Amino acid sequence: MNELERMAELWERERRHQEAQFAEQMQALSQRERIEAGIALRRLSIAEVDATAGGRFLLWLESAKPNDLELFRLQVGDPVRLWIEAPASGARATIARRRGPSVAVIPDQELPDEYFEADFHLDRDAPKATFERGAAAIARFRRGGREGPAGDRGRLRDVLCAAEPPAFGDIEALDLFDTDLHEAQARAVSAALASQDVGLVLGPPGTGKTRTLVEVIRQLVSRGERVLATAASNAAVDNLGERVARTGAGVVRLGHPARVSPALEDRTLDVLLRRSDDAAVAKNWLDQASEIRRRAEARRSRGRMSRREFKDALQEARGLARDAKNHLARAESAILRRAQVVCATAAGADAAALGSANFDRVVLDEATQAPDPIALVALARAPRAILAGDPHQLPPTVVDPDAAAAGLSRTFFERISEAYPKAPRMLVRQHRMHAGIMAFPSMSKYDGKLEAAPEVAAHELADLGATDDPLRPSPFVFIDTAGTGWTEQREADDPSLSNPGHAERVAAEVRRVISRGVEPAQISVIAAYRAQVRGLRERLAPEREAGLEVATVDAFQGRESEVVVVDLVRSNDRGEVGFLADTRRMNVALTRARRMLLVVGDSATVGGHPYYASFLRHAERAGAHLSAWADAAEPLEG
């Protein structure tokens, strides 16, 4: 079985697993349990109606149970059902925005009147389109040949599957648009441009990966190439698209307006089309068609129009509507042809508006987070690609553990990097972390190659006006809870873990940092388990009101904070670390802090794992190890 045949089998297995899991949740979990799992909301009402791109409506929803929103974990772009009687009979919609105690959705169709007159509920909807797109993309690459918009896929397929090494032309010295790029970034840009099939950019945390990709895209556009800029998530696409748009390049953003950031709405195809003269012409034809139908129905109801005349009138109306639709399709094509850069998620790269459009290059950000079948949806659009990511951060989300173990959680980026270690161009200068915070991630994941930019290497809380803490003087501190008796626990109806003792200590550490003069909004708390997040949010409610954020590791990918407190949660006499054994999650947690990182964990539990044993040795050598017995983390006196 070749690589793509195996991928197709694993993708189908993942589809079946997710569908079965979704059905099981809907059938086996009560509404209350679905709410606690973060996939449902109850007793909603429409508080506000806004117009949004493409003539759609954005509905702000409020809950009679606002605490439910604390648990709600669905993201912008997730499909949902709004329902009154039962989820299966509800209206389809998409999560559009989050704002305080409200969530906004964009319905697929106009909602019936009863949704404006009474409370209704929300549940996650089953994903289907994503699996269909991935399966179709695998099939296209398996067929190969010259079929499809990207032409001959044979060479690209072989490189992606690591059967052949990436090929490069001459690497030239460039006249950079962004003259502040440092040497490693400039080398990565040059290598990407010289790639003849697949180029790789390895971007560890804080090393300016997006900035590097913007330069790559600007260089490609200056050479007359059309670029499909894509990523696994809408947030990453928007971030890349916004930065490219600021350079003056002609950017068009594809996708449902619910999935597009407000900053890029004016660049969406829907808005550009609606503002064009073509849209006005088409609307005029549609208005005429509506008027013809209205008059025909009125005359027929009064007996003043024969059946034949009525049929002819409807035929005329349908013709006008057809002309309007075709006119808009041609206008869409014209807008896209003029675009130098088209932005879309990898899954959204098969948009009908693109038809069989070909690009010169695909730039895929978050390439280590996109499952390979979804990456292929975008990669089918061009004969060459540039993949950017970091295999030492969060992997693709694969729900079926068997499919993940069999290889579905590995990506093209990883396969190529492992087979041809010299292929990736690594960015080495990071602009986020104090050198003392950076040291362990650099050593454990990046062969000690990371370097701290001069402006961050020694920055500290004192620069923000904070007072010193004599017991925690360094930017990195490990609070060891071994021997305290603060053990993990699991509620009978909750698969997640909590640790009340850890939660109390984390809350105390947060308040101690605040007592030094640090604003709560400059502090983030990361917990390894969702149940622990809930407990921490309750204990730190006043601080959260003032801007403190508490969330899981996954929620902090790609983000940063001046102070980060990490709670490992695990504490047991068996040395079990659970999914902490996936050290990519720990690497993400340890690389979010700018000026101070404080980790709370039980060395007796985690120390049996090689990665955490190395982490503990590093804390000892750095003088950052502090026993929880040493003090109770009391706030400092002013």
Side-chain angles (χ1 to χ4, degrees), residues 434-557:
H434 185 289
I437 298 172
M438 176 197 73
F440 180 73
S442 178
M443 175 189 69
S444 62
K445 294 295 185 182
Y446 305 105
D447 299 323
K449 294 179 180 178
L450 290 187
E451 60 184 55
E455 67 271 15
V456 303
H459 67 179
E460 54 188 17
L461 288 179
D463 302 332
L464 303 178
T467 58
D468 293 335
D469 184 341
L471 294 182
R472 294 156 181 75
S474 64
F476 164 51
V477 180
F478 175 66
I479 306 294
D480 191 352
T481 66
T484 60
W486 298 340
T487 57
E488 66 193 53
Q489 61 186 42
R490 191 192 308 271
E491 298 296 334
D493 59 348
D494 190 344
S496 188
L497 287 172
S498 64
N499 188 321
H502 271 214
E504 292 291 345
R505 184 54 183 247
V506 167
E509 293 289 348
V510 167
R511 292 177 184 125
R512 186 178 177 102
V513 174
I514 292 172
S515 74
R516 297 174 60 183
V518 179
E519 296 294 329
Q522 296 174 314
I523 306 171
S524 297
V525 178
I526 301 175
Y529 288 83
R530 189 168 290 111
Q532 187 75 344
V533 167
R534 293 197 292 269
L536 284 165
R537 285 174 172 172
E538 291 174 2
R539 288 171 173 83
L540 290 165
E543 291 77 13
R544 291 181 59 235
E545 286 288 329
L548 174 78
E549 187 168 5
V550 183
T552 61
V553 178
D554 295 48
F556 275 93
Q557 172 93 344

Side-chain angles (χ1 to χ4, degrees), residues 199-522:
L200 303 182
V201 178
L202 171 57
T207 54
K209 171 172 60 69
T210 303
R211 185 173 184 174
T212 302
L213 292 182
V214 170
E215 179 67 25
V216 168
I217 292 171
R218 294 180 75 180
Q219 292 285 340
L220 292 172
V221 169
S222 73
R223 299 176 181 201
E225 293 196 24
R226 292 185 73 234
V227 179
L228 175 62
T230 184
S233 70
N234 280 286
V237 173
D238 288 341
N239 185 31
L240 184 58
E242 287 171 28
R243 296 194 190 192
V244 173
R246 287 200 293 267
T247 71
V251 172
V252 174
R253 173 66 157 99
L254 295 182
H256 195 296
R259 300 177 175 93
V260 178
S261 73
L264 268 186
E265 277 190 4
D266 285 347
R267 300 278 187 150
T268 61
L269 181 59
D270 283 343
V271 169
L272 293 172
L273 185 62
R274 179 159 50 87
R275 292 177 177 174
S276 69
D277 293 339
D278 297 289
V281 171
K283 185 178 185 304
N284 182 48
W285 289 344
L286 289 171
D287 289 344
Q288 289 181 43
S290 297
E291 181 64 15
I292 289 170
R293 282 194 295 269
R294 186 190 65 78
R295 289 181 178 178
E297 289 168 358
R299 291 186 63 193
R300 188 186 182 197
S301 67
R302 294 194 298 267
R304 296 182 179 179
M305 178 175 276
S306 68
R307 180 181 180 85
R308 177 66 183 176
E309 289 172 328
F310 181 71
K311 186 176 180 180
D312 289 344
L314 292 184
Q315 183 66 29
E316 182 182 1
R318 281 195 292 269
L320 283 169
R322 192 181 307 113
D323 289 344
K325 181 179 179 181
N326 292 338
H327 190 72
L328 287 175
R330 288 192 294 271
E332 279 187 347
S333 297
I335 291 171
L336 289 169
R337 282 196 303 271
R338 292 193 297 267
Q340 297 168 306
V341 181
V342 174
C343 299
T345 61
D350 71 340
L354 285 176
S356 60
N358 188 15
F359 292 83
D360 297 297
R361 196 100 54 152
V362 172
V363 174
L364 174 60
D365 196 5
E366 296 184 328
T368 50
Q369 288 183 261
D372 284 347
I374 297 305
L376 289 178
V377 176
L379 297 174
R381 290 285 180 183
R384 293 180 292 173
I386 297 164
L387 312 184
D390 181 2
H392 303 299
Q393 296 190 63
L394 295 180
T397 298
V398 178
V399 177
D400 183 350
D402 293 333
L408 192 59
S409 64
R410 293 180 69 243
T411 62
F412 291 130
F413 192 108
E414 293 168 89
R415 289 183 177 87
I416 298 170
S417 299
E418 291 169 7
Y420 308 103
K422 294 183 179 179
R425 295 304 194 270
M426 179 175 169
L427 308 179
V428 296
R429 179 177 293 182
Q430 62 86 18
H431 302 264
R432 175 186 299 161
M433 297 169 277
H434 185 289
I437 298 172
M438 176 197 73
F440 180 73
S442 178
M443 175 189 69
S444 62
K445 294 295 185 182
Y446 305 105
D447 299 323
K449 294 179 180 178
L450 290 187
E451 60 184 55
E455 67 271 15
V456 303
H459 67 179
E460 54 188 17
L461 288 179
D463 302 332
L464 303 178
T467 58
D468 293 335
D469 184 341
L471 294 182
R472 294 156 181 75
S474 64
F476 164 51
V477 180
F478 175 66
I479 306 294
D480 191 352
T481 66
T484 60
W486 298 340
T487 57
E488 66 193 53
Q489 61 186 42
R490 191 192 308 271
E491 298 296 334
D493 59 348
D494 190 344
S496 188
L497 287 172
S498 64
N499 188 321
H502 271 214
E504 292 291 345
R505 184 54 183 247
V506 167
E509 293 289 348
V510 167
R511 292 177 184 125
R512 186 178 177 102
V513 174
I514 292 172
S515 74
R516 297 174 60 183
V518 179
E519 296 294 329
Q522 296 174 314

Side-chain angles (χ1 to χ4, degrees), residues 5-43:
E5 288 174 337
R6 182 173 180 78
M7 186 185 301
E9 180 183 286
L10 294 177
W11 190 239
E12 175 62 17
R13 182 186 300 177
E14 173 72 359
R15 182 191 66 78
R16 291 195 303 266
H17 186 92
Q18 285 203 27
E19 288 183 354
Q21 186 182 69
F22 178 81
E24 181 181 353
Q25 283 182 340
M26 295 301 292
Q27 294 171 7
L29 296 180
S30 66
Q31 185 188 40
R32 178 68 257 175
E33 289 169 329
R34 298 198 302 273
I35 289 167
E36 290 177 350
I39 60 174
L41 294 170
R42 59 181 165 168
R43 295 188 60 189

